[in-house]
Amino acid sequence: MYTSYKINDLLVVEIENFLSNEELNEILIPRKLQFEKAISHYPKYYRNNDRLVEDNKDLSHKFFQKLKNIQILNTEDKIVGLNKRFRFCRYQKNQSFSKHQDGIYYPNVKEESKYTFLLYLNDHKDFNGGTTEFYTSKTDTLPIKSIIPKKGKLVIFDHQLWHKGAKVTHGNKYILRSDIMIKSNHHNTHHQGYIWNLIKLNDEQFLSCGRDRKIKRWNTSLSLKHTIEVHSNSVLKIVSLNQNEYISCSRDFTIKKWNLSGDVLSTIHLNEMILNLAYTSNDLIIATGTSGKIYVLNSTLDILKIIKVHDSWVWSLSLLSDTKILSCCEKGKVYLTNIQSEETTCIYKHNYALFCLCTKKKNTIFLGSQDGTLVELCMITQKVLKTKLHTDIIRSIIYHNEHIISCGEDNKVITIHEKHRQSKTLLVSNNFLQDILVIKNNLYAAGYDGSISKIRIA
């Protein structure tokens, strides 16, 4: 038995008893002791459940054949199979997965995922809470639909739907998640999936990197000049060492040094995911990530020292000098660290997580908050000015011609004049924006949907 309906014109299908108790036990019991924390790849504010990732072609084929027999996906999409990569999840007491959309998976240029395949492996009688909640938008506070987990029940829904896994308050909840793949539609995007970072090369070219593992070189007219691939997972950050050599960090837990021809010159693998990189004028590389440590490396990627600063994910860092480092974290703290003496001081504490900082204006720190607040901190007077610019996380801030320009997860680029305090929305995107860049009064913005937008600014 199944039911289908739409939320925001996006398909949801609920199938009762997709698998028998025996089949479910065969799947779950051997895997119960194999779960690991998802925190190594995701911040606690976003999700804190346990998971197990497994590639299983046999299971994928079995489930897809069963789906074809039911014949419930009557869509215009050409469905080609089920993703062989399964994510088994365990939610223990006080664990949840906050409101989100599922990302599109691109195994090749001919296929992409469109629908989430969510199977409950145990019954709601084994735990309290843990409902699957659907929302009409990210900003809604109340769900439009809540599904109570039931052992053997399968829920299929469009990736574009906002949803969350509500907190489990007692017991353990187990699910299996994969994706239904379709024949790829033509997309006017520059990357397949999220773009994490944009970096200027010169007045004529810039680089972008993203979830598809690719680093792409563009001219300012957005014509693609070159593509390289040096990482095995999402590329999060790129920093220039000189005109031909660069370093980057990735969800593959590596930092790599490479040149514009795509040759890898040096690699280091760390026990955490590095989120940020910087390069000093005396040839030192600064790296921060999910453990709260600051790594100091030389230009061949040898670790010179490790300084413990934060106790949570470090979302952004900036150089005040070759020895003084500013960093901000998930717990809303800003630290000033001297990498020579290894002294570190908390110079500011915000009520929400801080996701980005900018020090392009002398003696001023611009900070972007989880609640959409722009924080301006004067390092001389310690005066703090707070302006609520966005309705969601501010992901990137730049300072240009007396204007503070920011982008965020409310899909907007907003500028505010630092003296007149007049704000203006420069761009509204189809999805959240991760990074912005200005070259010759042209602003480039990129984020979740893999597209790079270009607009003229004064």
Side-chain angles (χ1 to χ4, degrees):
M1 184 178 76
Y2 71 89
T3 57
S4 65
Y5 50 92
K6 290 188 176 182
I7 299 173
N8 288 355
D9 206 32
L10 300 171
L11 181 67
V12 182
V13 179
E14 299 181 38
I15 305 173
E16 304 291 337
N17 303 313
F18 182 71
L19 293 183
S20 67
N21 277 336
E22 292 76 14
E23 290 173 309
L24 292 162
N25 291 337
E26 286 178 7
I27 290 171
L28 178 59
I29 291 174
R31 296 174 173 87
K32 270 193 171 183
L33 298 178
Q34 300 179 44
F35 286 91
E36 297 179 349
K37 293 288 183 185
I39 193 62
S40 62
H41 282 84
Y42 299 94
K44 290 180 181 178
Y45 84 90
Y46 184 65
R47 68 184 297 184
N48 62 353
N49 64 292
D50 312 319
R51 69 174 190 161
L52 167 67
V53 179
E54 177 183 313
D55 288 342
N56 193 319
K57 288 183 179 179
D58 292 339
L59 207 57
S60 169
H61 179 74
K62 173 184 174 181
F63 287 170
F64 186 59
Q65 293 304 312
K66 196 173 183 70
L67 272 180
K68 288 204 305 187
N69 292 336
I70 298 175
Q71 295 182 331
I72 47 84
L73 285 176
N74 297 318
T75 73
E76 296 179 359
D77 303 301
K78 174 63 176 177
I79 294 174
V80 296
L82 196 70
N83 187 359
K84 69 176 181 180
R85 175 152 293 183
F86 291 89
R87 281 79 87 202
F88 297 87
C89 295
R90 176 179 65 193
Y91 292 82
Q92 302 185 79
K93 184 179 178 180
N94 293 326
Q95 291 186 339
S96 62
F97 197 156
S98 66
K99 198 183 304 177
H100 65 285
Q101 293 172 308
D102 290 333
I104 301 172
Y105 169 62
Y106 299 89
N108 53 59
V109 295
K110 296 181 180 180
E111 298 177 10
E112 64 184 75
S113 67
K114 182 172 182 180
Y115 301 98
T116 299
F117 179 99
L118 175 63
L119 178 66
Y120 299 112
L121 299 180
N122 68 330
D123 201 79
H124 70 280
K125 295 176 183 178
D126 298 334
F127 54 91
N128 295 332
T131 54
T132 301
E133 299 177 354
F134 292 98
Y135 297 80
T136 56
S137 71
K138 187 181 181 181
T139 56
D140 281 0
T141 56
L142 296 176
I144 192 171
K145 173 74 175 178
S146 293
I147 297 177
I148 298 173
K150 182 180 178 183
K151 188 174 183 179
K153 183 172 186 171
L154 173 65
V155 183
I156 296 169
F157 56 91
D158 196 295
H159 284 343
Q160 296 180 69
L161 274 171
W162 287 99
H163 63 286
K164 69 183 287 187
K167 183 187 293 185
V168 169
T169 57
H170 175 77
N172 292 333
K173 166 190 167 184
Y174 294 93
I175 66 164
L176 173 157
R177 179 212 180 307
S178 186
D179 311 278
I180 294 176
M181 310 299 298
I182 66 168
K183 185 177 180 181
S184 188
N185 295 316
H186 176 72
H187 290 282
N188 183 26
T189 59
H190 300 91
H191 282 264
Q192 291 182 317
Y194 325 149
I195 295 175
W196 292 120
N197 188 213
L198 303 173
I199 172 178
K200 178 181 175 180
L201 292 182
N202 50 52
D203 284 344
E204 306 298 331
Q205 296 187 345
F206 67 95
L207 297 176
S208 62
C209 63
R211 190 186 186 202
D212 57 7
R213 306 183 298 273
K214 292 178 173 58
I215 297 167
K216 296 191 175 188
R217 179 159 55 97
W218 307 90
N219 66 18
T220 51
S221 299
L222 289 179
S223 295
L224 181 63
K225 309 304 292 182
H226 188 50
T227 299
I228 66 174
E229 193 169 333
V230 296
H231 288 281
S232 61
N233 210 320
S234 299
V235 186
L236 304 176
K237 193 79 174 180
I238 305 171
V239 168
S240 171
L241 303 184
N242 54 55
Q243 289 186 344
N244 189 49
E245 294 181 341
Y246 298 80
I247 50 171
S248 54
C249 56
S250 164
R251 285 175 67 108
D252 64 11
F253 284 52
T254 68
I255 302 173
K256 298 203 174 191
K257 179 181 176 181
W258 42 273
N259 60 30
L260 288 178
S261 298
D263 305 311
V264 176
L265 308 175
S266 190
T267 301
I268 183 171
H269 188 282
L270 296 166
N271 292 324
E272 65 174 290
M273 188 164 61
I274 297 300
L275 306 172
N276 303 280
L277 296 167
Y279 184 56
T280 71
S281 62
N282 56 350
D283 295 330
L284 294 179
I285 293 166
I286 312 299
T288 58
T290 58
S291 72
K293 300 171 184 174
I294 288 180
Y295 294 86
V296 182
L297 306 94
N298 61 22
S299 59
T300 56
L301 301 185
D302 302 308
I303 296 177
L304 303 178
K305 62 174 65 177
I306 302 173
I307 308 168
K308 179 65 174 177
V309 177
H310 297 268
D311 57 359
S312 60
W313 285 40
V314 181
W315 283 111
S316 188
L317 69 86
S318 183
L319 303 179
L320 286 184
S321 69
D322 284 341
T323 58
K324 293 181 179 179
I325 312 298
L326 279 174
S327 55
C328 65
C329 73
E330 185 181 0
K331 293 191 175 180
K333 296 179 181 180
V334 179
Y335 276 87
L336 175 61
T337 303
N338 187 313
I339 60 171
Q340 192 170 47
S341 66
E342 301 188 24
E343 293 179 357
T344 184
T345 305
C346 180
I347 62 170
Y348 177 71
K349 174 70 171 71
H350 194 63
N351 293 331
Y352 295 89
L354 294 170
F355 283 82
C356 58
L357 61 83
C358 171
T359 56
K360 294 300 181 183
K361 183 187 175 186
K362 188 177 181 181
N363 297 321
T364 301
I365 307 171
F366 300 114
L367 300 159
S369 169
Q370 184 178 11
D371 71 336
T373 297
L374 168 69
V375 180
E376 298 168 64
L377 171 62
C378 178
M379 296 195 68
I380 297 175
T381 65
Q382 302 304 307
K383 181 181 177 181
V384 176
L385 176 63
K386 299 179 183 179
T387 308
K388 190 74 161 64
L389 274 189
H390 293 262
T391 58
D392 210 329
I393 296 171
I394 298 176
R395 284 286 181 175
S396 184
I397 298 172
I398 56 179
Y399 182 67
H400 177 73
N401 289 348
E402 297 186 328
H403 284 79
I404 308 152
I405 308 174
S406 57
C407 71
E409 294 200 12
D410 59 358
N411 307 358
K412 294 179 180 179
V413 177
I414 298 175
T415 181
I416 182 170
H417 193 281
E418 64 168 328
K419 294 178 181 177
H420 306 314
R421 310 310 296 178
Q422 297 171 334
S423 64
K424 179 183 178 182
T425 298
L426 298 178
L427 175 70
V428 179
S429 179
N430 292 326
N431 216 304
F432 83 70
L433 294 166
Q434 175 68 29
D435 204 10
I436 46 179
L437 175 69
V438 171
I439 302 176
K440 285 185 173 179
N441 290 327
N442 287 315
L443 183 137
Y444 301 85
Y448 187 91
D449 64 3
S451 296
I452 302 172
S453 299
K454 174 186 176 182
I455 57 173
R456 186 75 177 172
I457 60 174

